Each structure stands twice: as structure tokens, then as C-alpha cells.
Amino acid sequence: MSILASCGLKGDLYLPEGQANTVKVAFIVTAILMIFVIPQFQALFTGFGADLPGLTKMVISISQFFQDFWWLIFGSIIGSVMGFMAARKRSRKIQHFMDRMLLKLPVIGDVLTKGAIARFARTFSVMFKAGVPMVEAMTSVAGATGNIVYNEATIEMRDDVSTGTQLNKAMTDTELFPNMVVQMVSIGEESGSLDAMLAKVADFFEREVDDAVDNMTALMEPFIMAFLGVLIGTLVIAMYLPIFKLGAVV
């Protein structure tokens, strides 16, 4: 799910696409090892007649749990994801809570905030330039922000503007927009070039989001690869430890 697909921004909502796919593949590979590969080694170890290393016993126990309850594990994961998505879609309270929490997360929250502002500015700029009245345009802008917190804030701004409040004052009252954005909107209102100012705001924040996603990708890739290396390496070592031990005895 792209953060700002309509604005041409890159990245996934929670993970960059490449890293998200890597995590999915890692989960599938681990499940295959646990359910199909490790039981083959377990059958081999049964004929050894010797005590197995503690790491091997632990991995075999986890594998046995996977074999016995794979349906519960996969069912719980799929059911939880689907249930969460359904609840978030149907309940405005849950959606509001989750969107607000996402905005407060380190790093990711900053990206989502900038993404919402970029969508707000880009959609507003395009509609205002096309001659759509401000109050009418803001109804569409609210739905384009991609976050219910900014959606509700835009609706409040629309109501304030409809009663004669200046847009920059309404934006300040929400406490959601950086001072730079408010100032540029103020300049645009005073000079009659609001669409151009909003376009500049959108350009700036789109670049900010793209740069942030690129930086996240560069930072997360080594951690993900290290985690996968430790995970797969541990499974391999656990399976070969008894063989090494047997070879040393022989």
C-alpha cells in the first residue's frame, strides 16, 4: 500500500516494498523448514540413540508445535489481519485511534505526517487551480489526505473558512501543520497565488517523503538481513550439531 500513490511518492505504508517482500519470504521459508525439513532430521536423530544438544531439542520442540498447530498459527495470523482491517474500516473510532497512533510513531509517524500534508497540498492546489471554490474543494481534499486525523482537521478548516476565517488561521488552529506551511498559505492568500504556493508545499513534502523512505530502506536493509542470517543460521546449526557431535565421537 503506497503512502502517496496519487502524488507519485515511493514506499510502503509500514515497510518499503522490497523489505516487506523479504520479510514475507523469510516467514514462508521458516515455516517450510519447521514443518517439512526439520522433521526429516528429527527422524534421523531418533536412530542416533544419543542425547541431543539443547539448541537442537529447542528447535525440534518448536518444529513439533508448528507441525501440530500450523493451521492455528496461519489461521490466527490471517484472521487477525483480516479482522483488524475490517474493524478499522467499519469503526471510525478504531480508525481514528490507529491513525493518531501511527502519526506518533518514531520515524514512520514523521513520514506519514509529511505524506498527509503533501496529499493535502497537491490535491488542494490542483482543484483550486481548476477553479473549484475553496469550500467545495476542501471536501475533496479531506478525503485525499489518507489519514482520518487530517481528514477531520480539513473538514473543521472547511467549516471555519465557510464562516469567513482565513485559511492560514484555520490551519493554525488545527495544530497539525508546520509553521512553514501556514506561512506559505498566508503568502498565497495575500498575493492571490494560493494554488502556486500549495504546489510548492506539495513538491517540498513529496521530496521529503521520498528521501525519508530511501533512508529507511538503507537503514532497515542491514538489520533485516542480519536478522534473517541469525534465524536461518540458528536453524542450520541446530540441525547439524548432532551430526558434528556424532562425527567427533566416531
Side-chain angles (χ1 to χ4, degrees), residues 54-239:
L55 179 61
T56 304
K57 289 181 178 180
M58 181 185 71
V59 171
I60 289 176
S61 298
I62 296 174
S63 173
Q64 191 65 51
F65 179 81
F66 265 81
Q67 295 173 61
D68 294 340
F69 300 103
W70 64 267
W71 52 271
L72 179 61
I73 296 172
F74 284 98
S76 298
I77 294 174
I78 296 173
S80 298
V81 172
M82 294 181 64
F84 168 77
M85 292 176 64
R88 187 175 184 274
K89 187 176 181 180
R90 295 178 181 178
S91 174
R92 195 170 182 85
K93 288 184 178 180
I94 294 178
Q95 185 178 0
H96 191 282
F97 173 79
M98 290 304 303
D99 283 1
R100 184 170 290 279
M101 289 300 101
L102 285 173
L103 293 177
K104 293 181 179 180
L105 289 177
V107 183
I108 294 177
D110 184 55
V111 174
L112 294 176
T113 297
K114 291 176 178 178
I117 294 173
R119 275 189 173 180
F120 170 90
R122 179 65 68 196
T123 307
F124 206 164
S125 172
V126 171
M127 297 194 71
F128 198 70
K129 187 175 182 179
V132 180
M134 182 179 293
V135 174
E136 183 179 339
M138 292 183 73
T139 302
S140 300
V141 171
T145 57
N147 186 287
I148 195 170
V149 176
Y150 279 87
N151 181 310
E152 293 178 348
T154 304
I155 295 299
E156 292 178 5
M157 290 160 52
R158 180 201 64 186
D159 295 340
D160 291 341
V161 169
S162 66
T163 59
T165 304
Q166 284 192 317
L167 178 59
N168 66 86
K169 176 62 169 59
M171 293 175 70
T172 302
D173 292 341
T174 65
E175 299 182 350
L176 291 174
F177 294 90
N179 188 51
M180 182 269 285
V181 177
V182 176
Q183 289 181 350
M184 292 191 70
V185 168
S186 177
I187 294 171
E189 286 185 297
E190 292 176 3
S191 63
S193 56
L194 182 59
D195 57 329
M197 290 295 103
L198 287 170
K200 290 181 180 180
V201 170
D203 290 339
F204 174 80
F205 281 98
E206 285 170 6
R207 287 194 300 268
E208 287 283 299
V209 173
D210 286 346
D211 290 343
V213 171
D214 289 339
N215 291 335
M216 285 174 59
T217 301
L219 289 173
M220 292 174 64
E221 191 168 320
F223 288 104
I224 292 176
M225 296 306 296
F227 173 76
L228 295 181
V230 171
L231 176 63
I232 303 300
T234 300
L235 295 179
V236 172
I237 291 172
M239 291 301 98

Side-chain angles (χ1 to χ4, degrees), residues 20-43:
N21 291 335
T22 301
V23 173
K24 294 174 186 176
V25 171
F27 177 79
I28 294 173
V29 170
T30 302
I32 292 174
L33 289 173
M34 287 292 183
I35 297 174
F36 300 105
V37 178
I38 292 178
Q40 302 300 319
F41 281 90
Q42 183 179 358

